[in-house]
Amino acid sequence: MSEKPMPETTWDADEFGWFGGEGAWGGRFMPEALVAALEELTVAYNEAMADPEFVKAFEDSLVDYANVPSPLYEAKHLSEQYGVRILLKREDLNHTGAHKIRNVLGQALLTKRMGKTRVIAETGAGQHGVASATAAAYFGLDCTVYMGAVDTRRQALNVARMELLGAKVIAVESGSATLKDAINEALRDWVASVDHTAYLFGTAAGPHPFPSMVRDFTRGIGDEARAQCLAKYGVLPDAIAACVGGGSNAIGLFTAFLDDADTAIYGFEAGGDGVETGRHAATIVAGGSGVLHGARTYVLQDDDGQTIESHSISAGLDYPGVGPQHAWLAASGRATYEAVTDAEAMKAFQHLARTEGIIPAIESSHALAGALRLAPKLAAEKGKDAILLINLSGRGDKDMGTALDYFNLGEPTGETA
Ligand SMILES: Cc1ncc(COP(=O)(O)O)c(C=O)c1O
């Protein structure tokens, strides 16, 4: 499916966090109080990754605690329906129900190594908050989670989980009361507490070194999927797909495949009510270059360069920015990004539940919907042995409230005997 020639480039950031050359994507646009903290983090991170003991402790925690590697499951019914092999990377089976646990175990372990005692985090869907509260409990760290007030309502179950795990959850009322505003509040806290507090950033966005660090902690998704696919089928996938909020599950999957020219790479953003309505979170598809949360990247903004509110039915994709490595992958043509509407995602959510007995996160349903849109083209070009690999980033338990409203569930519809 990849018609475009691969550009000759490195996909990695330079030492200052620039993807695609200095001044292009990424960097570090932060108040002075945090520049020193980010530099301290960069040095500590680089040293930790060069220390085999740290790497082993991280990998052990993934295997022993987080139930990783996650399986690669061939969805037989979907494959029959769509005429290609459809493989699901089952990150929904990880402890705490999403890919997010990989990232926080890495960052929390680093926090311990740096001698800090408290972590803060922001969360949208709540999965990163739950993962952070979990890792804090596991490593004995104090934990505070910032969450937009709108998201605390649509993800109430996850708020309860975080509290049960011992975290303090702070509802943020400012702005659109969603993820962007939660990040602003977490950054404010960090400025005041940086001597003893680490900020566990939840996605592959933000200032250097977060985009690279989050990618490295989540890249196991793609490393595993690539090896599992080769072991089972003897070939690489023709196309891979993931949903893109800030971009952690997507970059975690994509990284292993960046140099595989015959594997096409697709990211699916939240198209909300439709990109043409303006009510969406399709940052790469409909945004422009700007600075948000410390990085130059694609941003949804008005004519004056002010960030505008995003909209998505999925709290985890409702973000007007995106990680800078995705900006580079889009600009270079290595990956293709498309929008999927709320309605398309909810249809895929229901479809997977009914055909495979798996209730996915609404975020992951965007990846599924987008990939199923591609499937007929792939089937026509490559036939029934073509492989379409989709990252199922999380499970849908947290989304049952939204599904209940959307599909009018909860009223028995069966006839009595
Ligand atoms: C299950 C799941 N998938 C995807 C996302 C989107 O985040 P990212 O783009 O960083 O993977 C979230 C965010 O909360 C999530 O909970």
Side-chain angles (χ1 to χ4, degrees):
M1 284 191 91
S2 62
E3 293 109 16
K4 295 176 192 134
M6 294 258 289
E8 269 187 36
T9 181
T10 165
W11 303 115
D12 214 346
D14 68 14
E15 63 178 306
F16 304 106
W18 290 111
F19 292 92
E22 192 183 331
W25 308 103
R28 184 186 281 165
F29 298 81
M30 276 279 128
E32 211 149 310
L34 286 179
V35 169
L38 289 164
E39 202 39 48
E40 180 198 10
L41 180 65
T42 308
V43 170
Y45 173 63
N46 288 338
E47 281 175 8
M49 290 307 263
D51 176 355
E53 262 185 49
F54 177 86
V55 174
K56 183 169 184 318
F58 171 53
E59 286 172 355
D60 285 351
S61 73
L62 287 176
V63 173
D64 299 338
Y65 186 66
N67 201 30
V68 161
S70 61
L72 187 66
Y73 164 70
E74 181 168 347
K76 293 263 164 39
H77 302 293
L78 273 189
S79 300
E80 259 168 45
Q81 282 173 5
Y82 285 86
V84 290
R85 282 184 193 276
I86 295 178
L87 312 184
L88 303 178
K89 179 65 173 158
R90 299 288 310 273
E91 289 291 294
D92 58 313
L93 296 178
N94 296 351
H95 180 44
T96 70
H99 68 289
K100 301 274 184 189
I101 190 74
R102 297 181 185 259
N103 173 34
V104 291
L105 285 176
Q107 289 199 49
L109 193 62
L110 188 61
T111 303
K112 289 287 274 190
R113 187 181 159 104
M114 291 172 77
K116 302 201 176 196
T117 55
R118 175 176 179 254
V119 293
I120 54 173
E122 84 295 335
T123 197
Q127 290 304 96
H128 175 60
V130 169
S132 298
T134 301
Y138 180 66
F139 287 114
L141 297 160
D142 199 41
C143 180
T144 299
V145 180
Y146 290 90
M147 188 169 192
V150 166
D151 294 338
T152 60
R153 291 190 283 277
R154 54 182 168 176
Q155 302 291 342
L157 184 66
N158 272 343
V159 175
R161 289 169 81 195
M162 286 181 258
E163 287 175 346
L164 193 61
L165 288 158
K168 186 167 155 198
V169 182
I170 299 182
V172 176
E173 302 281 354
S174 57
S176 56
T178 58
L179 184 58
K180 158 178 75 63
D181 314 291
I183 295 178
N184 288 338
E185 279 312 310
L187 284 170
R188 254 175 230 132
D189 180 323
W190 202 29
V191 170
S193 63
V194 71
D195 55 324
H196 66 291
T197 297
Y199 182 1
L200 303 191
F201 208 77
T203 191
H208 179 61
F210 286 117
S212 301
M213 186 168 75
V214 174
R215 175 204 58 209
D216 293 348
F217 287 141
T218 52
R219 65 167 293 160
I221 303 170
D223 289 339
E224 289 164 25
R226 192 176 184 282
Q228 288 164 324
C229 189
L230 279 175
K232 215 163 168 181
Y233 303 98
V235 289
L236 290 175
D238 296 277
I240 59 172
C243 66
V244 183
S248 66
N249 88 93
I251 207 68
L253 176 69
F254 296 173
T255 298
F257 296 94
L258 290 176
D259 293 324
D260 296 325
D262 290 334
T263 298
I265 298 179
Y266 288 89
F268 293 101
E269 300 190 304
D273 292 344
V275 170
E276 67 293 347
T277 67
R279 278 177 50 79
H280 61 82
T283 314
I284 294 177
V285 169
S289 174
V291 171
L292 181 64
H293 294 140
R296 175 167 292 285
T297 186
Y298 282 96
V299 183
L300 294 180
Q301 52 198 343
D302 63 19
D303 292 342
D304 298 325
Q306 296 297 316
T307 307
I308 54 177
E309 309 296 358
S310 54
H311 163 80
S312 169
I313 194 167
S314 66
L317 302 184
D318 199 352
Y319 181 55
V322 66
Q325 194 173 359
H326 288 290
W328 171 225
L329 293 179
S332 67
R334 177 62 188 102
T336 304
Y337 296 81
E338 295 179 3
V340 165
T341 63
D342 289 352
E344 289 173 301
M346 292 310 285
K347 197 169 156 200
F349 174 90
Q350 189 182 50
H351 193 59
L352 191 69
R354 293 188 174 178
T355 51
E356 299 289 343
I358 299 170
I359 301 178
I362 297 178
E363 289 80 9
S364 321
S365 304
H366 284 71
L368 187 68
L372 294 181
R373 203 162 64 192
L374 292 175
K377 189 172 168 229
L378 190 58
E381 280 175 7
K382 305 237 163 141
K384 65 177 178 25
D385 289 331
I387 294 179
L388 177 55
L389 192 158
I390 304 164
N391 194 34
L392 213 67
S393 55
R395 61 175 173 251
D397 307 30
K398 70 184 177 60
D399 295 315
M400 287 315 294
T402 306
L404 206 122
D405 291 344
Y406 192 88
F407 294 115
N408 249 331
L409 302 174
E411 295 293 325
T413 51
E415 304 272 315
T416 49

